[in-house]
Amino acid sequence: MMVRLASSGVLLILVVLASCGVFAESFDPAALDEAFKGAQQIDLATSQVPSVVKLRDVVKIPPPTQSVLVKTFKRDSIPPVLTQAFVNPNVSGVTIAGRYVAIIQTNLTKEYNDVLSHELVHAYISLACPKPLPFWFQEGAAVHFSTDKTRKFYGQPSKDQTGVMIGKTVELNETYKQKLQSFHFMIEKAGDKKFNKWFREAVMTGTVDPRPLIGLGDSPSAQPSPNKHLPIWLIAAIAGIVIIVIAIGIYAARRDDGYIG
């Protein structure tokens, strides 16, 4: 995920590392276990992190039995086994094989909470699904169920100036805005109840096809005739689905068996 620090013009990049083609097999399990010694263990069946609560209690995806190990690392003391995951100096959080969540230390509590909430969506749906989920689904879900916003301000009171807040504004780039918007479109089109049912089944089966959810059917014969005048909203919907299907095809060979941002 790429976000812009509007206050300074600097780019903060939280990349979707699975798209870089680095997978779990690239990590030494023993080294990972060593790096995550003393990590916080999160039980997804009882965790009160907001994104986990939504997935478990609202969408009603049965919580994975595996606990998730979460550990914070200082930017200048990242263990060698995690170096490749944080090769970009601006990466703030990654999820590895669904079980390991590494987060770079920040002094902004809300920023940490949002990164954790985002990463735990990846962990939850990766562990709950019998097969890897496509990139667009992973990131759309992670943004939607964590912040569900395209822009966030993270700040804290200034220690030097009374009544002054200091911090940064983080904004999603267009690619991730589109992923979030695709989720918003599906929810608006189908309603929360149908969307949650579709999302739950997609995670539990690994079959991700949004066409039936928004009334486009599941086969070419079910598509509207091109000779008819289509309303603008339906044209936009079809265009969105085409983009999603293309994304599925592009990333089908890059399944999230490894680590994701």
Side-chain angles (χ1 to χ4, degrees), residues 174-210:
E174 290 305 315
T175 299
Y176 284 84
K177 285 180 181 179
Q178 290 172 5
K179 288 172 174 56
L180 179 58
Q181 288 166 0
S182 71
F183 268 61
H184 286 175
F185 172 78
M186 289 188 288
I187 293 169
E188 180 180 352
K189 179 65 178 166
D192 288 334
K193 185 176 181 180
K194 288 183 178 179
F195 171 82
N196 288 342
K197 179 182 178 182
W198 170 82
F199 187 88
R200 178 173 63 252
E201 291 177 352
V203 170
M204 295 181 67
T205 65
T207 300
V208 179
D209 183 357

Side-chain angles (χ1 to χ4, degrees), residues 22-91:
V22 182
F23 301 101
E25 304 88 74
S26 302
F27 293 89
D28 179 355
L32 269 179
D33 288 339
E34 180 65 26
F36 279 83
K37 274 186 176 180
Q40 176 188 6
Q41 293 193 34
I42 293 184
D43 182 353
L44 297 174
T46 59
S47 172
Q48 293 304 303
V49 172
S51 61
V52 173
V53 173
K54 292 175 187 176
L55 293 170
R56 183 187 64 225
D57 300 342
V58 179
V59 185
K60 298 190 180 302
I61 300 172
T65 57
Q66 304 97 316
S67 60
V68 179
L69 300 178
V70 178
K71 192 169 183 179
T72 301
F73 298 91
K74 292 183 178 180
R75 180 72 66 182
D76 59 359
S77 58
I78 297 172
V81 69
L82 296 177
T83 300
Q84 60 182 316
F86 290 99
V87 64
N88 187 301
N90 292 315
V91 170

